[in-house]
Amino acid sequence: MPLWAQLHADLRRRVDTGEFTTAFPGELALIEQYAVSRHTVREALRRLRDEGVVVAERGRQPRLAGTPEIEQPLGALYSLFAAVEAAGQDQHSIVRRLDIRADGVVAVRLGLEESTPLLYLERLRLSDGEPLAVDRVWLPAHVAAPLLDADFSHTALYTELAARCGIRLTGGRENIRAVVPTRAERAQLGIDDTVAAFAIERLSEHHGQPLEWRTTLVRGDRFSVTAAFTARTGYRLDVTGPAPRQRRRPHAATLTETR
């Protein structure tokens, strides 16, 4: 068997035994582990990609097909911006709406009169240039009006809220559920009808007072949520951002070329 075929077979074996549940090794790691050329590695990855086993794109870390790229531990006040950046990906947003408007339903959720002016921010969130989420946020205008001058193409809402309005959210509650996106939503997220999504609703508070209502639709193939738990303490919510990728010990393998 040629070297690429031996590498391909061994990687398939390792995938089948569940060795790459945390992360799939990149090209340089495979070159080092197997002592083969970049061409050999790329040919083996190409075969795995053609078989639908991995997603291997130029300039990006290979990953198992169906494995979300962004992992977010559950917890109050986590930031999608921070989660994307922590995953080593470029975060960018297309701002679709940033204005002051009235919304009676949202105002009631925030404990306000229905006619209360609200700041509304709608963004298409991108990760490495690809659609990741559609994000919509409402805040009381009398508090959040300074945000009208912010450039939300590459910044976090909570960062701007603290810097421009002097407010840091202190808690809240969130509901996450799996949904089947509509045709219009699939078009916005750049997905087909085989991909589901997470619908996230968040009501955030500032010292017990509702301040933010947010709805987010996130692609299910690029995002996951996790929670740690023990028998003694139950679930432990982590708000520090995505868990770091674990580094595996090099796999001992020897490839020999036959002519």
Side-chain angles (χ1 to χ4, degrees):
M1 296 174 60
L3 286 177
W4 69 260
Q6 295 179 58
L7 176 57
H8 169 268
D10 196 60
L11 290 175
R12 280 301 304 264
R13 176 189 62 78
R14 296 172 69 184
V15 168
D16 292 341
T17 58
E19 187 172 339
F20 300 129
T21 54
T22 301
F24 194 88
E27 287 186 4
L28 294 180
L30 291 174
I31 291 171
E32 181 179 352
Q33 289 179 28
Y34 288 92
V36 294
S37 68
R38 183 183 295 270
H39 173 77
T40 297
V41 168
R42 287 184 172 176
E43 182 62 21
L45 291 176
R46 184 181 71 81
R47 302 288 176 141
L48 292 174
R49 183 186 61 218
D50 292 345
E51 295 168 356
V53 177
V54 302
V55 177
E57 303 170 352
R58 184 176 296 275
R60 301 183 65 180
Q61 178 84 5
R63 60 185 174 89
L64 292 183
T67 301
E69 297 174 333
I70 301 166
E71 182 178 338
Q72 176 60 61
L74 290 172
L77 302 184
Y78 67 77
S79 166
L80 185 61
F81 179 95
V84 173
E85 296 275 303
Q89 301 175 24
D90 177 63
Q91 196 283 151
H92 182 76
S93 294
I94 298 174
V95 178
R96 291 180 166 172
R97 299 284 189 278
L98 177 57
D99 56 33
I100 302 294
R101 62 178 64 187
D103 189 307
V105 174
V106 174
V108 170
R109 291 182 183 274
L110 294 174
L112 304 170
E113 294 291 335
E114 294 184 8
S115 60
T116 302
L118 303 173
L119 180 135
Y120 175 68
L121 171 63
E122 179 179 333
R123 293 173 289 175
L124 175 63
R125 313 291 293 271
L126 306 176
S127 172
D128 276 353
E130 298 180 9
L132 173 66
V134 177
D135 195 40
R136 300 178 175 92
V137 181
W138 294 260
L139 303 111
H142 71 274
V143 171
L147 297 180
L148 289 171
D149 297 326
D151 178 6
F152 285 102
S153 61
H154 189 267
T155 189
L157 172 65
Y158 295 161
T159 299
E160 296 297 326
L161 187 64
R164 296 173 181 269
C165 306
I167 292 177
R168 296 184 184 275
L169 299 176
T170 57
R173 64 181 184 271
E174 188 169 83
N175 178 266
I176 303 175
R177 56 193 173 89
V179 298
V180 177
T182 66
R183 178 180 298 179
E185 290 169 340
R186 293 198 302 270
Q188 293 181 71
L189 294 175
I191 57 178
D192 58 30
D193 57 8
T194 66
V195 178
F198 290 107
I200 304 174
E201 295 179 341
R202 175 185 293 187
L203 181 64
S204 301
E205 300 176 349
H206 178 62
H207 298 301
Q209 175 63 44
L211 192 72
E212 174 203 34
W213 174 251
R214 180 192 295 247
T215 64
T216 307
L217 188 69
V218 190
R219 287 175 54 158
D221 62 337
R222 301 191 64 194
F223 184 81
S224 68
V225 292
T226 62
F229 64 93
T230 68
R232 182 175 62 85
T233 62
Y235 275 88
R236 175 178 59 81
L237 301 182
D238 187 348
V239 300
T240 59
R245 296 184 181 275
Q246 297 179 0
R247 296 187 61 184
R248 292 183 175 275
R249 296 175 61 185
H251 174 73
T254 301
L255 305 183
T256 57
E257 184 171 13
T258 57
R259 301 183 182 274

